[in-house]
Amino acid sequence: MHLAKWAHDLAEALLAESLPTRWAHSQRVYSQALTLAPALGADAELLAAAAIAHDVGYAQVAIDTGQHMIDGARYLRDVVGADPRLCSVVAFHTSSPWEAAELGLDEALAEFGPAEPALVDAITYCDLTSSPVGALVDPAERLKEVLDRYGPDHVVFRAVSAARPELLARVARIRERSHGVQPSLIS
Ligand SMILES: [Fe+2]
């Protein structure tokens, strides 16, 4: 797990002290990624690395556009020279394309394309089953919490509202794909 260990150390250095709640969330996303390892095969380590690093764009040193998926991917690409596939999964995670469209950042996001649908489904599943404080959570509840937190005038509210059907479809695809692999570990 060399790549995952590297990403873990990096994310810990960027988040653990300054954003401890975000770090707790990231650790749960990581543990959710580990539950998908049997279904992902050769890409299991890449997903684990992306999971622990998916929110590094919230770190002060990474903030640029304010769209944390793009900022995280840029930091990983430009500052630490991460694997392009890792940067891509971070760039496209969860509601990123909808937020980028709201913010006029489609071209910035496209630098990390093309997105890999199987990995984007997986990281979205991991993110949406992990609460903001690192507990396991139902994805529909998680999305409701995000909408309540931001409120209807915020770009994240508009993006997540538009993205919601596809985000829940991604979760459903992962549950379907993982069924029978290690069902006791899939929440
Ligand atoms: Fe997240």
Side-chain angles (χ1 to χ4, degrees), residues 54-70:
H54 79 289
D55 274 350
V56 297
Y58 283 112
Q60 197 61 44
V61 290
I63 294 172
D64 180 12
T65 66
Q67 207 273 35
H68 80 274
M69 299 87 158
I70 292 172

Side-chain angles (χ1 to χ4, degrees), residues 21-167:
T21 308
R22 188 71 63 186
W23 176 235
H25 163 74
S26 299
Q27 288 176 287
R28 174 61 73 180
V29 176
Y30 176 75
S31 69
Q32 286 296 82
L34 297 184
T35 71
L36 298 183
L40 279 171
D43 282 336
E45 175 152 16
L46 180 65
L47 180 71
I52 198 67
H54 79 289
D55 274 350
V56 297
Y58 283 112
Q60 197 61 44
V61 290
I63 294 172
D64 180 12
T65 66
Q67 207 273 35
H68 80 274
M69 299 87 158
I70 292 172
D71 290 350
R74 282 183 174 177
Y75 185 88
L76 291 166
R77 180 190 63 189
D78 299 338
V79 179
V80 296
D83 177 328
R85 294 182 70 212
L86 172 59
C87 299
S88 178
V89 179
V90 170
F92 285 97
H93 84 261
T94 314
S95 56
S96 182
W98 291 267
E99 285 186 40
E102 283 279 346
L103 294 166
L105 291 169
D106 306 78
E107 281 183 30
L109 180 59
E111 287 178 21
F112 297 96
E116 297 189 61
L119 289 168
V120 171
D121 280 4
I123 191 86
T124 300
Y125 166 87
C126 297
D127 199 13
L128 294 183
T129 53
S130 303
S131 83
V133 296
L136 283 174
V137 68
D138 174 73
E141 283 298 312
R142 168 93 156 96
L143 291 174
K144 182 178 181 309
E145 183 280 323
V146 172
L147 295 175
D148 289 346
R149 178 158 34 114
Y150 286 95
D153 294 332
H154 198 281
V155 58
V156 171
F157 182 99
R158 294 194 297 273
V160 169
S161 296
R164 191 175 181 281
E166 168 59 14
L167 299 182

